[in-house]
Amino acid sequence: MTVRERADAAHNRRKILVTAQRLFQDSGVDHVSMDDIAQAAGVGKGTLFRRFGNREGLIGALFQQLTEDWQQEALDQLADPGEDPRERVLGFVASLFDDIVVPGRPLLRALERDSGGSHANLERYLLWQGLLARAIAEARPDTDADFLAHTVLGVLRADFVDLLVGTGMSIDAVRTGVLTLTASVLTAAPEPG
Amino acid sequence: MTVRERADAAHNRRKILVTAQRLFQDSGVDHVSMDDIAQAAGVGKGTLFRRFGNREGLIGALFQQLTEDWQQEALDQLADPGEDPRERVLGFVASLFDDIVVPGRPLLRALERDSGGSHANLERYLLWQGLLARAIAEARPDTDADFLAHTVLGVLRADFVDLLVGTGMSIDAVRTGVLTLTASVLTAAPEPG
DNA sequence: AGCCAAGAGGACCAGCGGTCCGGATATGGT
DNA sequence: ACCATATCCGGACCGCTGGTCCTCTTGGCT
């Protein structure tokens, strides 16, 4: 397909992305309207929607930009059979928290909120959850690794982290809690009699 | 205080509540506008907002109606010192899941979504979390009961349950997972050497 | 240079939550 | 029974939002 994006289109796309990121950062994701972004980017509203389809598409593009490099590396490392699965899981969770959840919290919240829509979020979630579950299963073949993976990711959801922060916990306390939980998930518990 | 609610006002309040519940049930919370509710209840929009302040107030009132009886009983039982803390926690979680989360999922989602606003939700959360943490601490004094309580409640969040269902799990599978997780949280794990 | 698909842009739209205010009425005092 | 009035009612109205549409422009190929 030779239908390459025209130069002005690509230029505008980049301009929109950087502008949106700045506005979101400055004013909070849900105090910035699509009009705001179009105007600040010096672009018509039609252009904005032509490029990204809708609001969720724009936010998704910003989020993907944040994750694409990380995801490749992190998932490879998580699946690397040459290392202790426990270490791999802990490393993955720590990296997910530090590099994605914390810096991407506002974007993630916005994406989680409209989860009813696009399948992209669900697919991404399932990808992470599947690999995480496999690694957990390596460390603890005896348990429901699948649900434990869900649990760990559940605690990492942006709005839940925000809730915890809202109760007075510091980001660092949340981090410690998440990692402790992950570690305990990886440690075999005796079956209750 | 003789400032009793006038009879017509009370009547309208009841009518609005039952109408809203029906509409939400039939069409899904976020496909029903405040206009819809007012019209279906045979009431002016001004009346609706006068009674409940705003959308979140209405949803909150519906949710409180759903929980008020349950909460009294469940929290008492959770704090009852005469029973095995493990049983109490498991019973509380099961009841919370069966009686609140599952039937109230749509309302809860809507409330969680706008959590930025009212403190009422945060207070309710902290009340439940505090008592749950105390009971967990009785069963396992050695761990961070506080964060474990957060974890259990985190997995019970309505939008997370919806996400799990969206991945193909049945409600019953979610229930099993939640209870298994709770049980494992209540079972001491050996410190990793 | 000339053609034209792709893109630009902003007026426009429908729907939303929420407000306002002139008219109606329930209620307590007489 | 009746009045005075605080309370309440209703729906027109508002500002704002995400999203569409249609005309004009322009980059890129020949």
Side-chain angles (χ1 to χ4, degrees):
Chain A
M1 51 182 85
T2 14
V3 277
R4 271 236 326 282
E5 191 176 46
R6 249 167 59 173
D8 51 345
H11 177 234
N12 276 337
R13 198 187 59 237
R14 263 171 274 140
K15 202 159 54 168
I16 289 169
L17 282 173
V18 46
T19 304
Q21 185 154 43
R22 180 170 54 80
L23 289 184
F24 284 161
Q25 192 96 25
D26 290 354
S27 313
V29 173
D30 37 41
H31 291 107
V32 176
S33 70
M34 296 299 269
D35 290 81
D36 293 340
I37 295 168
Q39 189 161 14
V43 142
K45 217 173 158 183
T47 305
L48 179 50
F49 278 92
R50 165 182 281 266
R51 281 282 95 73
F52 298 100
N54 55 30
R55 185 169 232 266
E56 193 181 341
L58 172 60
I59 295 175
L62 280 171
F63 184 72
Q64 190 177 2
Q65 187 178 255
L66 177 70
T67 50
E68 54 192 0
D69 295 338
W70 175 88
Q71 172 160 318
Q72 190 59 44
E73 188 179 347
L75 294 188
D76 282 357
Q77 187 230 337
L78 176 61
D80 176 1
E83 285 222 26
D84 176 27
R86 228 172 145 272
E87 287 304 318
R88 270 149 45 197
V89 171
L90 281 171
F92 175 76
V93 170
S95 167
L96 178 58
F97 186 82
D98 295 335
D99 301 332
I100 303 298
V101 172
V102 170
R105 259 196 302 166
L107 295 179
L108 270 170
R109 276 201 76 149
L111 287 175
E112 290 166 4
R113 179 157 30 206
D114 316 323
S115 69
S118 70
H119 282 206
N121 300 327
L122 184 59
E123 279 176 28
R124 175 168 41 77
Y125 178 85
L126 281 178
L127 175 66
W128 295 2
Q129 188 268 340
L131 289 174
L132 186 57
R134 210 170 307 169
I136 293 176
E138 288 181 46
R140 290 191 59 192
D142 56 313
T143 52
D144 185 356
D146 220 54
F147 196 84
L148 291 179
H150 281 306
T151 302
V152 170
L153 291 181
V155 174
L156 282 169
R157 299 204 99 208
D159 70 337
F160 188 66
V161 171
D162 279 352
L163 174 64
L164 294 184
V165 170
T167 68
M169 291 181 71
S170 68
I171 284 285
D172 219 68
V174 176
R175 197 189 122 104
T176 301
V178 169
L179 288 180
T180 305
L181 171 72
T182 308
S184 89
V185 151
L186 291 167
T187 305
E191 264 307 294
Chain B
M1 48 180 107
T2 14
V3 278
R4 269 237 324 284
E5 190 176 47
R6 254 167 58 172
D8 51 347
H11 177 234
N12 277 337
R13 198 188 57 236
R14 263 172 275 139
K15 203 160 52 166
I16 288 169
L17 282 173
V18 46
T19 304
Q21 184 153 43
R22 181 172 52 80
L23 289 184
F24 283 161
Q25 192 95 27
D26 290 353
S27 314
V29 173
D30 36 42
H31 291 106
V32 176
S33 70
M34 297 299 270
D35 291 80
D36 293 339
I37 295 168
Q39 189 161 13
V43 142
K45 217 173 157 183
T47 307
L48 178 51
F49 278 92
R50 166 180 280 267
R51 281 285 93 73
F52 298 100
N54 54 29
R55 183 169 232 265
E56 192 180 343
L58 171 60
I59 295 175
L62 280 172
F63 184 72
Q64 190 177 2
Q65 186 178 256
L66 176 71
T67 50
E68 57 192 356
D69 295 338
W70 175 87
Q71 171 161 318
Q72 190 59 44
E73 189 178 346
L75 293 188
D76 282 357
Q77 187 230 339
L78 177 61
D80 177 2
E83 285 221 27
D84 175 28
R86 227 172 145 271
E87 286 305 318
R88 272 151 43 197
V89 170
L90 280 171
F92 174 77
V93 171
S95 167
L96 178 57
F97 186 82
D98 294 337
D99 300 333
I100 304 299
V101 173
V102 170
R105 255 194 305 163
L107 295 179
L108 271 170
R109 276 200 75 149
L111 286 176
E112 289 167 4
R113 181 158 29 206
D114 317 322
S115 69
S118 71
H119 283 207
N121 299 326
L122 185 57
E123 278 175 27
R124 176 169 38 78
Y125 178 84
L126 281 178
L127 175 65
W128 294 2
Q129 187 269 339
L131 289 174
L132 187 57
R134 211 170 306 168
I136 291 176
E138 289 181 45
R140 289 191 59 191
D142 56 314
T143 52
D144 185 357
D146 220 55
F147 196 85
L148 291 179
H150 280 305
T151 301
V152 169
L153 291 181
V155 174
L156 282 169
R157 300 204 98 206
D159 70 337
F160 188 66
V161 171
D162 278 352
L163 174 65
L164 293 184
V165 171
T167 68
M169 291 181 72
S170 69
I171 284 284
D172 218 70
V174 176
R175 198 189 121 104
T176 302
V178 169
L179 288 180
T180 304
L181 172 71
T182 309
S184 88
V185 151
L186 291 167
T187 306
E191 264 306 296

